[in-house]
Amino acid sequence: MAHPASRTREVCALLADGSTVRLREACPDDRGQVLRLYEEMSADNLRSRFFAASRRSGQQAADRLCAPPRPGHRTLVALRGDRLIGVAEYETVDDPASAEIALAVADDLHHRGVGTLLLEHLVHTARENGIATFTADVLADNHLIHQVFADLGLRVTRQYEGPTVRGIIRLAPDERYLSAVDLRGRTADTASMQPLLCPRSIAVIGAGTRPGSVGRAILHNLREAHFAGRLYAVNPHAHAVLRIPAYPSVTDLPQPPDLAVLAVPAAVVPETAVRCGRAGVGALVVVTSGLDAAAEAELTAACRHGGMRLVGPNCLGIANTEASIRMDATFAVATPLPGTAGVAVQSGGVGIALLEGLAHLGIGVSSFVSLGDKRDVSSNDLLQWWECDGRTDLALLHLESFGNPRAFSRTARRVARRMPLLTVDAGRSAAGRRAAASHTAAAATPTMTRRALFAQAGITATRTLGELLDCAALLHSQPLPAGGRVAVVSNAGGAGVLAADACADAGLTVPELPQDLVAELGALLPAAAGAANPVDTTPAVRVPALSDCVDRIARSGAVDAVLVALVPTALTSAVGADLVAALTTPAPDGPVRPPVVAVLLDQMDRVRLLAAGEGRTVPSYGEPQSAARALCHAVERARWLARPPGGIVEPAGVDAPGARAVAEAFLARVPAGGWLDARETDRLFACYGIPRARQAYAGTEQEAVDAAARLASHDGGVVLKAAGPALVHKSERGGVLLDLHGEQQIRAAHRELTARLGTAMSEVLVQPMAAHGTELLAGVVQDEVFGALVLFGLGGTASDVLADHAARLAPLTDTDIHELLTAPRCTPLLFGYRGGLPVDVHGLEDLLARLSRMADDLPELAEAECNPVIARPDGITVVDARVRLLPRRGRDPYLRRLP
Ligand code: ADP
Ligand code: MG
């Protein structure tokens, strides 16, 4: 009997080998398949699995597993295509917080991670239902399942009872579990990208015979780049395209290709994708544009069902220059040179420009992906790919947003430790942010904030594509500077001054050189030369003296970088190979040589990499500003690498299931989302142990008087605040009355609020009047590019006027928290400014950690604002808070599943 209503939503996830499986709760329809799973299991497997069914008949087991969910019992099934390949169940016995589990996977699918994946999802479901431990009775010799438990990453204890072992798994997730899940996720992700970026065979579907056909152009590029695998064309009207054999349909190909590139009309993209899935294609690139939302959804569904990763739609294609692959599945004009830069772009046009720019610099590309509409593969997947492809050492991104922002900040921070990660911050328009209602959201706008966020993630963000290439040239060719001290060397005094100014503007320093070095240089250079910094060699200098001079400065340890600004003279001619060689000679011994950059003032065009033999190069810029900015980015990267990454802070006493329940109850009441009322806000904050002012709700004047008597502060003062669903900014509407003393004042205040606000006020909030302190703001806001941010700064009514806020990406590490606390201009007030006592900084740090945790737990959290937080030497109190939730499900970082 079918219970379609009991069929829960399916999620897709990747196995260790990169193939896709679907997971969902079992339903009565599954009974036949579950029975078959048992019947097909070998006796050995049945015995050794710790599955409860080994003690029962298959019939009974199937009945029990597929029964509609009941309290304390859940069953998850895993499916591949239409086949059920595994089941996992938990059931509470006596203690509602502890459940027994059982697991079974089809014989032919062991060692693929099906069991682990089912368990991860079972852990998640159980945690959401308030279960704290799993127990499992396993035969002592069942090594496979013991290994599965151990690998899970949760804490497992064992009790030996004769031939069986009772494993007790504690479900509370921690950073260890998170990294175990994360590592499994990355392994699976990378494996799933294999058919996409390292295909052994490719079919171009929609390869036309006429010139001008996009499919034909791709086929042409694949052939011209000498693709290492087999190539097919799919075209129902031709036997061959560009002398490559053509077949009427993907199902007619002699073998299912690893990769299919779709260049068919938008209307037939979904059905073509379905056919690819059936034919066993490994991955899809869809270049076609103009799919409507429904067609895009059908396309994604077809890819999930068929276990295919998807690039696009609406993209330029992909390329991998690895010698054993040689794939150029793009319709760009030129094939990228092989090399070490990974490139991902959203727009095809920018992709072409970027590839052209890199080619001009002679920087080769490892892989190139035009992501288009990013229905599946995003920059996060590529960052992970480059992280372990063994080739990429420089990542370039040009994107409007970074895939799943929640995953982005973790991934970027990890990958940026291995390689420079460059992106263009095109500067988001303010319009989108203005739509956000609370002041916290508006405060997140400034460019300064965006710069800080990129910096926190270790990303080098430039303002233009040109600046991106300027940085790429420097980071590709030179070591990182240890600091920001620059020596400017020039053969024309004016050029040296320009360059020194440019360095200062970019935030670098041009320090005076030490006396002995100045003397040393003076002896080398023509008589009229000035050897302070900038070093003016005069136009009379000859190349050997100039290069000697640069070399001595580089070795001196007095500066962290050398900028050589040259104007061509008869003596230095344009740029002789000997000069370039001098600029790039590595120090044979002694300290690491600082980076050297050239500015050729006659060049006046974009950056070049001057070759100096033995593969060494030096970047040369047309303008000192470009060189200085690139150096400044390199200094920032070096500083980021030197900064301790810190650990993510785990505040104690957090009730995440409780918070989830508050969020779900609110969204059940207000499905479209909106502001929590005061009580809901209280409940949510209590789950995170956020120190709120004591408060009570009063429906009537008398209740307000009674509450005031209970709550009054040491000097008897109370605060009355109007509360109501639409009252977000209370004092703007005259809804906050402070420092009230005695029954009469309270009664008068209550009447005043009632008169002023009428029906907008549903009740009154009574709080003790807090002692004087520094009013601060702390909050969370969602940024469409970066994901959840934690904000901190000056609060109270001044917060809008002064806009003194800083923001950092959640989740915060201890280093992040320290930086966030010290970033706003108001910070000196906290640490005892002008003889004042320092406020409770630990309390503030703890508050920020708790807000960060809340943001990490609740993807529904659109914004949360504590304003003001009153900070005093003896503690902190949140006297006002508001929270807005939206109905969206983010990705649980503890749960692997595809978007
Ligand atoms: P809103 O932000 O909605 O206007 P608040 O509750 O933040 O309302 O109150 C406005 C201002 O009143 C605060 O910025 C703070 O200066 C002051 N205030 C509010 N509650 C208290 C309190 N319990 N003790 C002392 N001052 C308070
Ligand atoms: Mg306020």
Side-chain angles (χ1 to χ4, degrees), residues 84-435:
L84 192 150
I85 56 171
V87 320
E89 74 167 327
Y90 75 73
E91 173 148 45
T92 54
V93 184
D94 308 313
D95 177 3
S98 172
E100 275 192 28
I101 56 166
L103 175 75
V105 175
D107 282 0
D108 56 328
L109 285 159
H110 290 176
H111 304 292
R112 303 257 202 122
V114 181
T116 308
L117 189 62
L118 274 167
L119 275 180
E120 267 176 33
H121 283 256
L122 200 66
V123 165
H124 177 80
T125 312
R127 259 208 337 262
E128 286 203 323
N129 287 290
I131 291 169
T133 54
F134 275 168
T135 57
D137 292 321
V138 188
L139 288 178
D141 63 354
N142 188 351
H143 305 296
L144 183 67
I145 199 71
H146 288 296
Q147 197 55 47
V148 169
F149 285 172
D151 291 347
L152 199 57
L154 289 169
R155 258 168 248 292
V156 183
T157 45
R158 295 189 174 79
Q159 294 168 355
Y160 293 87
E161 294 167 8
T164 61
V165 181
R166 161 153 287 221
I168 299 164
I169 306 174
R170 281 201 282 138
L171 305 194
D174 54 12
E175 278 297 312
R176 191 173 85 99
Y177 183 57
L178 188 59
S179 28
V181 173
D182 189 52
L183 187 63
R184 285 197 287 273
R186 271 187 274 150
T187 310
D189 251 1
T190 309
S192 75
M193 300 275 287
Q194 198 75 23
L196 194 68
L197 283 164
C198 301
R200 289 157 304 181
S201 51
I202 303 178
V204 178
I205 305 182
T209 46
R210 263 170 297 144
S213 140
V214 168
R216 181 188 155 100
I218 292 171
L219 208 53
H220 172 84
N221 278 358
L222 280 165
R223 203 187 55 185
E224 291 303 297
H226 303 287
F227 174 56
R230 296 190 71 103
L231 268 185
Y232 304 106
V234 171
N235 180 333
H237 311 294
H239 294 294
V241 180
L242 296 171
R243 294 197 303 282
I244 291 159
Y247 296 81
S249 159
V250 65
T251 44
D252 301 319
L253 296 176
Q255 61 169 152
D258 280 344
L259 173 66
V261 181
L262 269 60
V264 296
V268 297
V269 165
E271 64 188 72
T272 311
V274 169
R275 226 172 291 133
C276 288
R278 281 210 203 102
V281 172
L284 291 190
V285 171
V286 179
V287 299
T288 311
S289 58
L291 275 73
D292 59 22
E296 285 209 350
E298 277 179 62
L299 168 63
T300 334
C303 289
R304 290 285 170 263
H305 199 86
M308 304 177 287
R309 297 304 303 268
L310 164 69
V311 168
N314 186 21
C315 74
L316 180 74
I318 64 176
N320 181 355
T321 59
E322 196 176 331
S324 59
I325 312 282
R326 303 189 302 271
M327 165 179 67
D328 178 7
T330 70
F331 55 98
V333 182
T335 292
L337 299 169
T340 57
V343 182
V345 293
Q346 195 155 345
S347 121
V350 172
I352 292 174
L354 205 48
L355 288 179
E356 201 275 325
L358 290 172
H360 173 79
L361 285 171
I363 299 180
V365 168
S366 55
S367 43
F368 165 82
V369 176
S370 155
L371 293 162
D373 293 347
K374 295 190 301 190
R375 293 306 303 205
D376 175 24
V377 171
S378 73
S379 49
N380 293 335
D381 295 295
L382 286 157
L383 288 178
Q384 284 177 16
W385 176 268
W386 295 330
E387 186 182 14
C388 49
D389 71 355
R391 302 173 69 211
T392 307
D393 62 12
L394 175 68
L396 307 177
L397 304 172
H398 188 282
L399 304 161
E400 276 121 54
S401 66
F402 295 95
N404 172 2
R406 280 161 75 80
F408 166 73
S409 84
R410 283 179 189 272
T411 310
R413 284 190 254 187
R414 194 185 62 242
V415 176
R417 298 230 152 249
R418 286 197 153 211
M419 63 182 82
L421 217 160
L422 272 54
T423 192
V424 179
D425 177 18
R428 313 284 302 176
S429 80
R433 311 286 176 95
R434 240 182 277 127

Side-chain angles (χ1 to χ4, degrees), residues 450-679:
R450 298 175 58 78
R451 291 197 60 173
L453 298 175
F454 280 122
Q456 182 194 356
I459 296 173
T460 302
T462 66
R463 285 173 310 148
T464 63
L465 212 53
E467 191 181 330
L468 183 87
L469 290 165
D470 289 344
C471 287
L474 176 62
L475 294 169
H476 178 77
S477 64
Q478 300 293 308
L480 285 176
R485 299 168 305 163
V486 184
V488 173
V489 180
S490 170
N491 68 347
V497 172
L498 283 179
D501 284 351
C503 288
D505 287 346
L508 302 163
T509 56
V510 184
E512 258 187 68
L513 299 178
Q515 276 307 317
D516 48 345
L517 181 59
V518 172
E520 211 181 309
L521 298 179
L524 280 174
L525 296 170
N533 196 5
V535 178
D536 177 5
T537 66
T538 77
V541 75
R542 288 172 177 275
V543 169
L546 181 61
S547 59
D548 204 1
C549 167
V550 170
D551 196 47
R552 282 173 199 241
I553 295 172
R555 287 161 186 264
S556 70
V559 290
D560 306 302
V562 185
L563 189 159
V564 186
L566 296 178
V567 178
T569 64
L571 300 174
T572 55
S573 62
V575 216
D578 46 352
L579 174 59
V580 176
L583 298 182
T584 58
T585 317
D589 47 18
V592 182
R593 192 184 161 104
V596 176
V597 301
V599 174
L600 300 181
L601 281 159
D602 65 325
Q603 184 182 322
M604 283 299 189
D605 65 357
R606 53 190 182 155
V607 60
R608 283 187 280 165
L609 278 176
L610 308 175
E614 292 169 34
R616 282 180 283 113
T617 52
V618 64
S620 117
Y621 300 86
E623 300 259 19
Q625 283 80 2
S626 311
R629 260 199 308 262
L631 272 176
C632 185
H633 283 299
V635 170
E636 277 171 12
R637 171 158 175 78
R639 288 210 180 108
W640 183 78
L641 286 172
R643 156 194 191 266
I648 289 174
V649 183
E650 289 292 338
V654 169
D655 174 14
R660 171 125 306 283
V662 173
E664 274 164 17
F666 171 77
L667 288 168
R669 180 168 75 76
V670 189
W675 296 100
L676 267 58
D677 67 27
R679 287 168 207 265

Side-chain angles (χ1 to χ4, degrees), residues 860-892:
E860 299 93 338
L861 188 71
E863 47 191 306
E865 189 183 73
C866 305
N867 183 16
V869 180
I870 298 185
R872 284 184 314 273
D874 61 342
I876 63 161
T877 319
V878 176
V879 300
D880 180 34
R882 46 183 145 259
V883 171
R884 191 163 63 93
L885 298 183
L886 286 177
R888 64 178 155 214
R889 288 206 69 99
R891 201 146 68 155
D892 181 335

Side-chain angles (χ1 to χ4, degrees), residues 685-743:
F685 275 34
C687 295
Y688 289 97
I690 291 172
R692 296 221 51 190
R694 286 183 298 138
Q695 58 188 34
Y697 302 90
T700 63
E701 194 179 303
Q702 186 55 45
E703 281 173 24
V705 170
D706 296 345
R710 277 183 279 123
L711 290 174
S713 62
H714 59 284
D715 72 344
V718 294
V719 178
L720 255 56
K721 300 183 186 182
L727 282 174
V728 176
H729 301 293
K730 298 175 289 293
S731 42
E732 271 172 26
R733 312 249 328 247
V736 179
L737 297 175
L738 299 173
D739 209 12
L740 307 167
H741 290 262
E743 182 171 341

Side-chain angles (χ1 to χ4, degrees), residues 735-753:
V736 179
L737 297 175
L738 299 173
D739 209 12
L740 307 167
H741 290 262
E743 182 171 341
Q744 259 182 342
Q745 280 191 11
I746 292 160
R747 287 193 185 278
H750 192 277
R751 273 180 229 132
E752 190 180 330
L753 290 178

